[in-house]
Amino acid sequence: MSLFTRLQKDIEKLSKAYEVRDKEIWMKIDKKDLKDFLKSLKEKYDAHFITITASDVGTKIQLIYHLDVNGILLNVETLIGKLSAFMDSVSDVFRGAEWIEGEISEMFNVKFKGKEYPRRFLSKKFSEGFHPLRRGKL
């Protein structure tokens, strides 16, 4: 049974969309289910964290968690509103996520629950409250 088929069975109630390419899987998941899903991927499939990418997509921030599962690139997308840009930190599941969560916090003003970033790494020259990759006033 393929990884894609196993994932479909595991999370059919959590994820609404799938897209498969050669050795690559894309899926969308609600932000409230994301951390538990990533935790189960690590436990069941020995998933390895690669990175998180963020994009400003109008009234929302898109976060894509990139994982390696047995040589297959798994991309898990979630959307969060700009007005309440809070997300559960996954750095307790994947230690490597800590740095990129700090970067996303600084650049997009996304707050990761359970984490505080007392100093700015990338945008020391910018004024407080300015988030360089976030568009608009929201």
Side-chain angles (χ1 to χ4, degrees):
M1 184 179 330
S2 74
L3 174 64
F4 178 70
T5 305
R6 287 183 290 167
L7 286 172
Q8 275 184 312
K9 286 183 179 184
D10 282 351
I11 61 147
E12 70 182 53
K13 65 180 179 221
L14 299 179
S15 185
K16 301 297 183 227
Y18 302 90
E19 183 180 332
V20 180
R21 297 182 190 139
D22 187 39
K23 296 214 172 229
E24 189 174 346
I25 298 172
W26 286 84
M27 49 188 17
K28 295 179 182 180
I29 196 163
D30 192 279
K31 81 175 204 170
K32 69 178 173 37
D33 299 318
L34 182 85
K35 185 172 182 173
D36 287 337
F37 175 61
L38 294 180
K39 194 174 187 177
S40 74
L41 284 175
K42 184 176 182 181
E43 292 167 358
K44 288 182 180 180
Y45 302 103
D46 193 29
H48 295 273
F49 177 80
I50 299 171
T51 195
I52 306 167
T53 55
S55 299
D56 185 325
V57 291
T59 61
K60 303 216 181 261
I61 301 289
Q62 175 191 54
L63 298 174
I64 304 173
Y65 291 74
H66 306 278
L67 306 163
D68 172 41
V69 181
N70 300 321
I72 295 172
L73 178 61
L74 179 59
N75 306 287
V76 183
E77 174 191 333
T78 194
L79 294 170
I80 58 175
K82 280 187 177 178
L83 291 176
S84 59
F86 288 95
M87 191 67 204
D88 289 327
S89 173
V90 298
S91 63
D92 58 327
V93 178
F94 296 107
R95 182 94 168 117
E98 190 164 1
W99 179 267
I100 192 66
E101 285 179 351
E103 234 178 80
I104 291 169
S105 179
E106 214 173 302
M107 297 306 217
F108 290 92
N109 196 29
V110 172
K111 303 296 183 216
F112 289 90
K113 294 177 189 172
K115 286 289 169 192
E116 288 189 32
Y117 305 96
R119 63 187 175 119
R120 296 169 71 134
F121 294 101
L122 303 171
S123 57
K124 290 178 183 175
K125 295 179 182 179
F126 298 122
S127 62
E128 192 64 35
F130 176 69
H131 306 281
L133 298 179
R134 191 165 173 161
R135 293 186 260 155
K137 299 281 184 203
L138 286 176

